[in-house]
Tab-separated table of all heavy atoms in Angstrom:
chain	number	residue	atom	x	y	z
A	1	ILE	N	-38.482	99.812	-20.733
A	1	ILE	CA	-38.120	99.711	-19.313
A	1	ILE	C	-39.140	98.819	-18.629
A	1	ILE	O	-40.356	99.045	-18.730
A	1	ILE	CB	-38.097	101.087	-18.635
A	1	ILE	CG1	-37.069	102.007	-19.319
A	1	ILE	CG2	-37.784	100.950	-17.144
A	1	ILE	CD1	-37.063	103.413	-18.757
A	2	ALA	N	-38.668	97.793	-17.918
A	2	ALA	CA	-39.538	96.907	-17.126
A	2	ALA	C	-39.281	97.197	-15.655
A	2	ALA	O	-38.215	96.882	-15.126
A	2	ALA	CB	-39.251	95.444	-17.453
A	3	ALA	N	-40.275	97.831	-15.019
A	3	ALA	CA	-40.102	98.262	-13.631
A	3	ALA	C	-40.949	97.406	-12.695
A	3	ALA	O	-42.051	96.977	-13.066
A	3	ALA	CB	-40.493	99.727	-13.478
A	4	PRO	N	-40.488	97.130	-11.471
A	4	PRO	CA	-41.282	96.384	-10.495
A	4	PRO	C	-42.433	97.247	-9.983
A	4	PRO	O	-42.390	98.478	-10.084
A	4	PRO	CB	-40.269	96.074	-9.379
A	4	PRO	CG	-39.272	97.182	-9.473
A	4	PRO	CD	-39.183	97.519	-10.927
A	5	PRO	N	-43.471	96.638	-9.389
A	5	PRO	CA	-44.632	97.428	-8.924
A	5	PRO	C	-44.323	98.332	-7.737
A	5	PRO	O	-44.992	99.325	-7.526
A	5	PRO	CB	-45.654	96.350	-8.547
A	5	PRO	CG	-44.825	95.122	-8.238
A	5	PRO	CD	-43.663	95.182	-9.180
A	6	SER	N	-43.320	97.988	-6.950
A	6	SER	CA	-43.010	98.775	-5.750
A	6	SER	C	-41.764	99.618	-5.981
A	6	SER	O	-40.960	99.349	-6.872
A	6	SER	CB	-42.788	97.850	-4.553
A	6	SER	OG	-41.719	96.961	-4.803
A	7	VAL	N	-41.646	100.649	-5.153
A	7	VAL	CA	-40.477	101.530	-5.224
A	7	VAL	C	-39.247	100.755	-4.737
A	7	VAL	O	-39.282	100.077	-3.717
A	7	VAL	CB	-40.678	102.793	-4.362
A	7	VAL	CG1	-39.409	103.637	-4.371
A	7	VAL	CG2	-41.862	103.597	-4.890
A	8	LEU	N	-38.174	100.849	-5.495
A	8	LEU	CA	-36.946	100.138	-5.155
A	8	LEU	C	-35.811	101.134	-5.046
A	8	LEU	O	-35.618	101.967	-5.933
A	8	LEU	CB	-36.638	99.099	-6.233
A	8	LEU	CG	-35.561	98.052	-5.896
A	8	LEU	CD1	-35.979	97.253	-4.667
A	8	LEU	CD2	-35.355	97.118	-7.065
A	9	GLN	N	-35.084	101.084	-3.917
A	9	GLN	CA	-33.985	102.024	-3.695
A	9	GLN	C	-32.658	101.282	-3.624
A	9	GLN	O	-32.588	100.085	-3.321
A	9	GLN	CB	-34.196	102.812	-2.401
A	9	GLN	CG	-35.283	103.877	-2.520
A	9	GLN	CD	-35.222	104.840	-1.357
A	9	GLN	OE1	-34.830	104.480	-0.264
A	9	GLN	NE2	-35.612	106.079	-1.610
A	10	LEU	N	-31.613	102.031	-3.915
A	10	LEU	CA	-30.249	101.503	-3.915
A	10	LEU	C	-29.370	102.466	-3.141
A	10	LEU	O	-29.471	103.686	-3.304
A	10	LEU	CB	-29.745	101.365	-5.359
A	10	LEU	CG	-28.294	100.892	-5.554
A	10	LEU	CD1	-28.163	99.463	-5.073
A	10	LEU	CD2	-27.910	101.001	-7.025
A	11	ARG	N	-28.533	101.921	-2.266
A	11	ARG	CA	-27.569	102.747	-1.522
A	11	ARG	C	-26.279	102.776	-2.329
A	11	ARG	O	-25.509	101.802	-2.343
A	11	ARG	CB	-27.314	102.153	-0.139
A	11	ARG	CG	-26.399	102.994	0.747
A	11	ARG	CD	-27.083	104.264	1.156
A	11	ARG	NE	-26.225	105.085	1.996
A	11	ARG	CZ	-26.528	106.283	2.411
A	11	ARG	NH1	-27.689	106.827	2.088
A	11	ARG	NH2	-25.699	106.975	3.159
A	12	ALA	N	-26.040	103.882	-3.052
A	12	ALA	CA	-24.895	103.924	-3.959
A	12	ALA	C	-24.575	105.360	-4.328
A	12	ALA	O	-25.281	106.301	-3.958
A	12	ALA	CB	-25.204	103.114	-5.231
A	13	ASP	N	-23.458	105.524	-5.066
A	13	ASP	CA	-23.080	106.815	-5.636
A	13	ASP	C	-23.900	106.980	-6.927
A	13	ASP	O	-23.664	106.315	-7.935
A	13	ASP	CB	-21.577	106.825	-5.940
A	13	ASP	CG	-21.091	108.188	-6.397
A	13	ASP	OD1	-21.831	108.867	-7.137
A	13	ASP	OD2	-19.962	108.564	-6.036
A	14	GLU	N	-24.885	107.863	-6.879
A	14	GLU	CA	-25.819	107.989	-7.993
A	14	GLU	C	-25.103	108.330	-9.300
A	14	GLU	O	-25.407	107.772	-10.357
A	14	GLU	CB	-26.863	109.072	-7.672
A	14	GLU	CG	-27.887	109.258	-8.768
A	14	GLU	CD	-28.964	110.250	-8.361
A	14	GLU	OE1	-28.902	110.792	-7.243
A	14	GLU	OE2	-29.882	110.483	-9.178
A	15	LEU	N	-24.122	109.239	-9.252
A	15	LEU	CA	-23.417	109.649	-10.466
A	15	LEU	C	-22.691	108.469	-11.102
A	15	LEU	O	-22.760	108.263	-12.321
A	15	LEU	CB	-22.417	110.770	-10.128
A	15	LEU	CG	-21.548	111.254	-11.290
A	15	LEU	CD1	-22.417	111.884	-12.361
A	15	LEU	CD2	-20.502	112.257	-10.785
A	16	ARG	N	-22.023	107.642	-10.274
A	16	ARG	CA	-21.241	106.533	-10.820
A	16	ARG	C	-22.137	105.406	-11.346
A	16	ARG	O	-21.841	104.777	-12.354
A	16	ARG	CB	-20.287	105.999	-9.748
A	16	ARG	CG	-19.218	106.994	-9.329
A	16	ARG	CD	-18.401	107.431	-10.527
A	16	ARG	NE	-17.348	108.382	-10.133
A	16	ARG	CZ	-16.492	108.924	-10.973
A	16	ARG	NH1	-16.582	108.625	-12.265
A	16	ARG	NH2	-15.565	109.769	-10.564
A	17	VAL	N	-23.259	105.129	-10.660
A	17	VAL	CA	-24.164	104.096	-11.155
A	17	VAL	C	-24.802	104.539	-12.470
A	17	VAL	O	-24.955	103.744	-13.405
A	17	VAL	CB	-25.236	103.772	-10.100
A	17	VAL	CG1	-26.232	102.764	-10.655
A	17	VAL	CG2	-24.585	103.210	-8.845
A	18	ARG	N	-25.164	105.843	-12.557
A	18	ARG	CA	-25.702	106.346	-13.827
A	18	ARG	C	-24.651	106.210	-14.937
A	18	ARG	O	-24.962	105.859	-16.084
A	18	ARG	CB	-26.128	107.807	-13.696
A	18	ARG	CG	-26.731	108.349	-15.000
A	18	ARG	CD	-27.006	109.835	-14.955
A	18	ARG	NE	-28.070	110.141	-14.021
A	18	ARG	CZ	-27.920	110.812	-12.903
A	18	ARG	NH1	-26.723	111.245	-12.563
A	18	ARG	NH2	-28.929	111.055	-12.106
A	19	GLN	N	-23.387	106.488	-14.592
A	19	GLN	CA	-22.302	106.353	-15.572
A	19	GLN	C	-22.221	104.918	-16.100
A	19	GLN	O	-22.047	104.686	-17.295
A	19	GLN	CB	-20.979	106.760	-14.923
A	19	GLN	CG	-19.783	106.709	-15.848
A	19	GLN	CD	-18.506	107.134	-15.128
A	19	GLN	OE1	-18.534	107.524	-13.974
A	19	GLN	NE2	-17.399	107.063	-15.825
A	20	VAL	N	-22.390	103.928	-15.196
A	20	VAL	CA	-22.338	102.522	-15.612
A	20	VAL	C	-23.506	102.194	-16.540
A	20	VAL	O	-23.337	101.593	-17.605
A	20	VAL	CB	-22.363	101.609	-14.371
A	20	VAL	CG1	-22.506	100.150	-14.786
A	20	VAL	CG2	-21.084	101.790	-13.558
A	21	ILE	N	-24.725	102.599	-16.146
A	21	ILE	CA	-25.906	102.276	-16.954
A	21	ILE	C	-25.813	102.932	-18.323
A	21	ILE	O	-26.124	102.329	-19.360
A	21	ILE	CB	-27.184	102.711	-16.213
A	21	ILE	CG1	-27.322	101.937	-14.894
A	21	ILE	CG2	-28.412	102.470	-17.086
A	21	ILE	CD1	-28.474	102.376	-14.029
A	22	VAL	N	-25.395	104.199	-18.362
A	22	VAL	CA	-25.263	104.901	-19.642
A	22	VAL	C	-24.209	104.214	-20.523
A	22	VAL	O	-24.385	104.085	-21.742
A	22	VAL	CB	-24.920	106.390	-19.402
A	22	VAL	CG1	-24.560	107.069	-20.720
A	22	VAL	CG2	-26.098	107.102	-18.755
A	23	ASN	N	-23.091	103.763	-19.916
A	23	ASN	CA	-22.077	103.032	-20.685
A	23	ASN	C	-22.679	101.781	-21.333
A	23	ASN	O	-22.458	101.488	-22.509
A	23	ASN	CB	-20.919	102.623	-19.780
A	23	ASN	CG	-19.906	103.740	-19.603
A	23	ASN	OD1	-19.915	104.699	-20.365
A	23	ASN	ND2	-19.051	103.623	-18.620
A	24	LEU	N	-23.454	101.019	-20.528
A	24	LEU	CA	-24.060	99.796	-21.057
A	24	LEU	C	-25.067	100.105	-22.161
A	24	LEU	O	-25.130	99.417	-23.186
A	24	LEU	CB	-24.727	99.013	-19.929
A	24	LEU	CG	-23.797	98.527	-18.803
A	24	LEU	CD1	-24.593	97.760	-17.763
A	24	LEU	CD2	-22.664	97.665	-19.345
A	25	LEU	N	-25.893	101.142	-21.946
A	25	LEU	CA	-26.893	101.511	-22.957
A	25	LEU	C	-26.221	102.015	-24.235
A	25	LEU	O	-26.662	101.709	-25.347
A	25	LEU	CB	-27.830	102.572	-22.397
A	25	LEU	CG	-28.832	102.090	-21.340
A	25	LEU	CD1	-29.563	103.273	-20.722
A	25	LEU	CD2	-29.833	101.110	-21.931
A	26	THR	N	-25.148	102.795	-24.071
A	26	THR	CA	-24.427	103.302	-25.245
A	26	THR	C	-23.847	102.147	-26.067
A	26	THR	O	-23.937	102.128	-27.305
A	26	THR	CB	-23.312	104.251	-24.802
A	26	THR	OG1	-23.888	105.336	-24.053
A	26	THR	CG2	-22.585	104.838	-26.003
A	27	ASN	N	-23.244	101.170	-25.374
A	27	ASN	CA	-22.719	99.994	-26.085
A	27	ASN	C	-23.842	99.227	-26.772
A	27	ASN	O	-23.701	98.747	-27.902
A	27	ASN	CB	-21.993	99.072	-25.114
A	27	ASN	CG	-20.619	99.585	-24.752
A	27	ASN	OD1	-20.098	100.502	-25.395
A	27	ASN	ND2	-20.018	99.034	-23.715
A	28	ALA	N	-24.985	99.082	-26.077
A	28	ALA	CA	-26.103	98.342	-26.655
A	28	ALA	C	-26.606	99.017	-27.927
A	28	ALA	O	-26.870	98.364	-28.934
A	28	ALA	CB	-27.226	98.210	-25.634
A	29	VAL	N	-26.754	100.365	-27.898
A	29	VAL	CA	-27.203	101.093	-29.079
A	29	VAL	C	-26.167	100.967	-30.201
A	29	VAL	O	-26.494	100.777	-31.381
A	29	VAL	CB	-27.458	102.569	-28.730
A	29	VAL	CG1	-27.741	103.378	-30.001
A	29	VAL	CG2	-28.619	102.693	-27.760
A	30	LYS	N	-24.887	101.058	-29.819
A	30	LYS	CA	-23.809	101.061	-30.810
A	30	LYS	C	-23.745	99.734	-31.573
A	30	LYS	O	-23.538	99.700	-32.791
A	30	LYS	CB	-22.480	101.357	-30.114
A	30	LYS	CG	-21.309	101.519	-31.074
A	30	LYS	CD	-20.005	101.628	-30.293
A	30	LYS	CE	-20.003	102.802	-29.336
A	30	LYS	NZ	-18.703	102.924	-28.644
A	31	TYR	N	-23.929	98.615	-30.827
A	31	TYR	CA	-23.735	97.306	-31.448
A	31	TYR	C	-25.045	96.583	-31.754
A	31	TYR	O	-25.064	95.372	-31.987
A	31	TYR	CB	-22.856	96.432	-30.550
A	31	TYR	CG	-21.500	97.038	-30.318
A	31	TYR	CD1	-21.113	97.498	-29.065
A	31	TYR	CD2	-20.610	97.188	-31.382
A	31	TYR	CE1	-19.880	98.073	-28.859
A	31	TYR	CE2	-19.369	97.764	-31.178
A	31	TYR	CZ	-19.008	98.208	-29.924
A	31	TYR	OH	-17.785	98.781	-29.723
A	32	THR	N	-26.171	97.309	-31.711
A	32	THR	CA	-27.463	96.737	-32.107
A	32	THR	C	-27.825	97.268	-33.493
A	32	THR	O	-27.826	98.488	-33.711
A	32	THR	CB	-28.557	97.121	-31.097
A	32	THR	OG1	-28.226	96.553	-29.827
A	32	THR	CG2	-29.911	96.578	-31.547
A	33	PRO	N	-28.129	96.390	-34.439
A	33	PRO	CA	-28.469	96.849	-35.791
A	33	PRO	C	-29.716	97.729	-35.788
A	33	PRO	O	-30.507	97.719	-34.844
A	33	PRO	CB	-28.704	95.538	-36.555
A	33	PRO	CG	-28.025	94.490	-35.745
A	33	PRO	CD	-28.094	94.928	-34.328
A	34	ASP	N	-29.889	98.472	-36.883
A	34	ASP	CA	-31.067	99.341	-37.028
A	34	ASP	C	-32.334	98.513	-36.883
A	34	ASP	O	-32.464	97.404	-37.435
A	34	ASP	CB	-31.056	100.023	-38.394
A	34	ASP	CG	-29.881	100.991	-38.533
A	34	ASP	OD1	-29.165	101.168	-37.521
A	34	ASP	OD2	-29.680	101.545	-39.631
A	35	GLY	N	-33.279	99.096	-36.114
A	35	GLY	CA	-34.552	98.417	-35.910
A	35	GLY	C	-34.524	97.397	-34.797
A	35	GLY	O	-35.524	96.711	-34.565
A	36	GLY	N	-33.400	97.300	-34.078
A	36	GLY	CA	-33.292	96.329	-32.995
A	36	GLY	C	-34.008	96.800	-31.738
A	36	GLY	O	-34.656	97.860	-31.701
A	37	GLU	N	-33.856	96.008	-30.658
A	37	GLU	CA	-34.539	96.307	-29.404
A	37	GLU	C	-33.558	96.217	-28.233
A	37	GLU	O	-32.673	95.371	-28.225
A	37	GLU	CB	-35.693	95.332	-29.171
A	37	GLU	CG	-36.814	95.436	-30.201
A	37	GLU	CD	-37.928	94.432	-29.910
A	37	GLU	OE1	-37.745	93.609	-28.984
A	37	GLU	OE2	-38.974	94.492	-30.599
A	38	ILE	N	-33.815	97.117	-27.259
A	38	ILE	CA	-33.038	97.127	-26.010
A	38	ILE	C	-34.033	97.185	-24.860
A	38	ILE	O	-34.986	97.977	-24.908
A	38	ILE	CB	-32.081	98.321	-25.937
A	38	ILE	CG1	-31.068	98.277	-27.084
A	38	ILE	CG2	-31.361	98.353	-24.591
A	38	ILE	CD1	-30.199	99.520	-27.157
A	39	SER	N	-33.837	96.374	-23.836
A	39	SER	CA	-34.715	96.410	-22.661
A	39	SER	C	-33.874	96.625	-21.400
A	39	SER	O	-32.779	96.087	-21.284
A	39	SER	CB	-35.512	95.106	-22.543
A	39	SER	OG	-34.645	94.012	-22.312
A	40	VAL	N	-34.434	97.422	-20.496
A	40	VAL	CA	-33.796	97.682	-19.199
A	40	VAL	C	-34.767	97.241	-18.114
A	40	VAL	O	-35.935	97.665	-18.119
A	40	VAL	CB	-33.444	99.166	-19.016
A	40	VAL	CG1	-32.723	99.367	-17.688
A	40	VAL	CG2	-32.589	99.659	-20.169
A	41	SER	N	-34.317	96.407	-17.202
A	41	SER	CA	-35.166	95.944	-16.094
A	41	SER	C	-34.383	96.023	-14.792
A	41	SER	O	-33.156	96.010	-14.785
A	41	SER	CB	-35.637	94.505	-16.346
A	41	SER	OG	-34.532	93.626	-16.403
A	42	TYR	N	-35.131	96.085	-13.691
A	42	TYR	CA	-34.490	96.109	-12.376
A	42	TYR	C	-35.455	95.530	-11.352
A	42	TYR	O	-36.675	95.650	-11.465
A	42	TYR	CB	-34.069	97.527	-11.979
A	42	TYR	CG	-35.173	98.552	-12.017
A	42	TYR	CD1	-35.908	98.872	-10.881
A	42	TYR	CD2	-35.474	99.205	-13.205
A	42	TYR	CE1	-36.911	99.822	-10.921
A	42	TYR	CE2	-36.476	100.159	-13.265
A	42	TYR	CZ	-37.197	100.460	-12.109
A	42	TYR	OH	-38.194	101.409	-12.145
A	43	ASN	N	-34.905	94.846	-10.340
A	43	ASN	CA	-35.738	94.233	-9.302
A	43	ASN	C	-34.875	93.893	-8.102
A	43	ASN	O	-33.644	93.947	-8.175
A	43	ASN	CB	-36.427	92.972	-9.838
A	43	ASN	CG	-35.423	91.942	-10.326
A	43	ASN	OD1	-34.767	91.288	-9.527
A	43	ASN	ND2	-35.290	91.816	-11.655
């Protein structure tokens, strides 16, 4: 996880945004070979 130095907020439906991120992470894990890498960043 690459996080910015300051606190960052988003005005959104927390449950639905988490659902989107989890979907993307699940796909990334599913289609990344063993020993691969996944990075999450936000700014």
Side-chain angles (χ1 to χ4, degrees):
I1 300 176
S6 60
V7 176
L8 193 60
Q9 286 194 330
L10 177 66
R11 184 69 180 175
D13 186 322
E14 181 175 1
L15 177 64
R16 295 302 181 180
V17 176
R18 182 187 292 113
Q19 182 180 356
V20 172
I21 297 175
V22 171
N23 276 344
L24 298 180
L25 288 172
T26 301
N27 283 347
V29 172
K30 186 187 301 183
Y31 300 112
T32 297
D34 294 355
E37 295 180 354
I38 299 173
S39 64
V40 183
S41 62
Y42 55 94
N43 59 74

